[in-house]
Amino acid sequence: MKPLLFLDVDGPLNPYGALSAPAPPDGFHPHRMRPAGWSWPEPLTVLLDPDHGTRLRALQRRYELVWATTWEDEANAWIAPVLGLPPLPYVDFPAPAVPGPAGTFWKTRRLLAYADGRRFAWVDDDLTEADDLWARRHHPAPALLLQIDRSVGLRQADFDRLERWADAG
């Protein structure tokens, strides 16, 4: 069985930390979106790199892709079409977000439960060593947690690492 690849949107795919920069990171283009939870009058600006779709589709040979984002199913409506991805399953995150134990990110326990003992990789901008330690202590299968810089998003080195990790399993 292929490992899961949990995908956060904001940070890894949308380097929102670069929105105030003079120009987006190489390859990223602004898109105006209005997801259901967006209540401001102006649409949300999301930076996306279409090459990420090509790279993620290539990773589907090695992984089962799963949205791990507060966008939940809306990632299928707004993000997937821009990246050329098919609809993906998603982790349901009940509101409000409850802080995790031992300094872990609030998503961590939910993703371990979703993985249900399977190997997984997870890309997110809010991961810390506490999450990695929690996964090693509370999840029976190997897990790769990649903390992504929210100002640059996923880069080629991250995709290379995901490929190597899947192939090593």
Side-chain angles (χ1 to χ4, degrees):
M1 181 177 291
K2 294 189 282 190
L4 299 166
L5 174 53
F6 291 123
L7 298 167
D8 184 28
V9 170
D10 296 318
L13 298 176
N14 169 30
Y16 66 93
L19 283 171
S20 61
D26 288 343
F28 288 89
H29 305 282
H31 299 270
R32 307 285 276 172
M33 301 182 177
R34 195 176 287 286
W38 187 253
S39 59
W40 287 267
E42 293 296 316
L44 173 67
T45 299
V46 177
L47 300 173
L48 296 173
D49 180 345
D51 287 342
H52 281 167
T54 302
R55 293 173 180 155
L56 290 169
R57 285 190 308 279
L59 283 177
Q60 284 184 304
R61 293 188 314 258
R62 295 174 168 93
Y63 289 96
E64 178 184 329
L65 306 183
V66 178
W67 294 120
T69 173
T70 56
W71 287 71
E72 295 180 332
D73 194 35
E74 285 200 87
N76 287 319
W78 294 96
I79 306 301
V82 175
L83 298 180
L85 293 174
L88 302 175
Y90 64 93
V91 178
D92 182 38
F93 292 114
V98 177
T104 58
F105 185 32
W106 62 266
K107 289 182 184 178
T108 303
R109 286 179 298 161
R110 189 78 177 156
L111 293 184
L112 268 63
Y114 187 100
D116 193 26
R118 285 177 67 181
R119 291 177 65 226
F120 72 86
W122 176 16
V123 294
D124 204 300
D125 60 309
D126 285 312
L127 295 169
T128 67
E129 289 182 27
D131 301 294
D132 191 56
L133 181 60
W134 186 267
R136 282 187 276 134
R137 288 184 177 166
H138 295 76
H139 190 68
L144 172 65
L145 282 64
L146 284 180
Q147 199 278 338
I148 305 299
D149 183 334
R150 65 183 54 131
S151 295
V152 298
L154 279 167
R155 307 313 297 161
Q156 185 60 48
D158 301 314
F159 285 100
D160 293 344
R161 185 162 181 207
L162 288 165
E163 287 178 5
R164 285 191 307 271
W165 186 83
D167 291 345

